[in-house]
Amino acid sequence: MNILVINGPNLNLLGTREPHIYGSQTLADIEHELMGRYPEAHFTFFQSNHEGAIVDAIQSTIGKDFQGVVINGAAFTHYSYAIRDALAMLMIPVVEVHISNIHLREEFRRHSVTAPACVAQLSGFGSNGYSLAVEMLLYHKSSQGKSTV
Ligand code: DQA
């Protein structure tokens, strides 16, 4: 199974960025952990601080041999209709991840404009949320396509 893992702005600084909120693991640590835990999956990792680059990465899966997307859109989650529209086009399942529990934080973080284009949102599991998202893609038949059942 080929899975694209997308991380948005400021997540390149995980490990040093507000560790009391986002933990001490770097993005490279998280990526290595995923590869170690799920040798049956083939991961493509992408991080960008730029909205259009993330749209391009999402579009790059179309017509290619990808079976799922994991996305932490970071702050774009809360206002990027461009990323939502790109995700909505996909015929493969997308799982949204947030390291922190966005529902327990500032008001502006509680709303995700991208979640409606995803089969699930995982929020507040720390960096383990990425693994849980992969579990969903690998083992939950119900997360195939855009079905929500
Ligand atoms: C985040 C939560 C967002 O509100 C924030 O802008 C981020 C990280 C998370 O992983 O908890 O950059 O997506």
Side-chain angles (χ1 to χ4, degrees):
M1 186 180 207
N2 294 318
I3 298 173
L4 175 63
V5 181
I6 299 174
N7 278 283
N10 300 307
L11 295 171
N12 54 313
L13 293 183
L14 282 177
T16 52
R17 176 193 180 196
E18 299 178 279
H20 56 292
I21 297 175
Y22 300 113
S24 55
Q25 278 193 304
T26 65
L27 189 54
D29 292 338
I30 292 169
E31 292 172 352
H32 282 119
E33 199 166 86
L34 285 180
M35 289 188 289
R37 280 188 182 166
Y38 304 102
E40 67 272 48
H42 177 264
F43 294 102
T44 301
F45 296 109
F46 180 80
Q47 189 279 327
S48 179
N49 295 326
H50 305 279
E51 184 179 22
I54 293 172
V55 170
D56 288 343
I58 294 165
Q59 288 186 9
S60 76
T61 65
I62 296 172
K64 302 278 170 44
D65 188 25
F66 281 97
Q67 285 75 44
V69 174
V70 174
I71 185 166
N72 184 345
F76 287 141
T77 302
H78 311 300
Y79 64 91
S80 175
Y81 298 121
I83 291 175
R84 177 201 173 124
D85 284 351
L87 294 173
M89 275 191 291
L90 302 187
M91 300 303 291
I92 56 175
V94 181
V95 180
E96 178 168 308
V97 171
H98 299 288
I99 295 168
S100 64
N101 185 342
I102 58 173
H103 303 287
L104 292 179
R105 300 184 63 196
E106 300 96 319
E107 184 67 36
F108 76 90
R109 292 187 204 277
R110 295 182 192 162
H111 184 61
S112 167
V113 300
T114 50
C118 301
V119 295
Q121 181 196 70
L122 294 164
S123 177
F125 292 95
S127 56
N128 277 320
Y130 291 92
S131 293
L132 296 171
V134 171
E135 296 266 341
M136 284 198 69
L137 293 173
L138 286 175
Y139 301 117
H140 288 236
K141 296 271 180 261
S142 61
S143 67
Q144 284 177 359
K146 289 292 178 190
S147 168
T148 54
V149 291

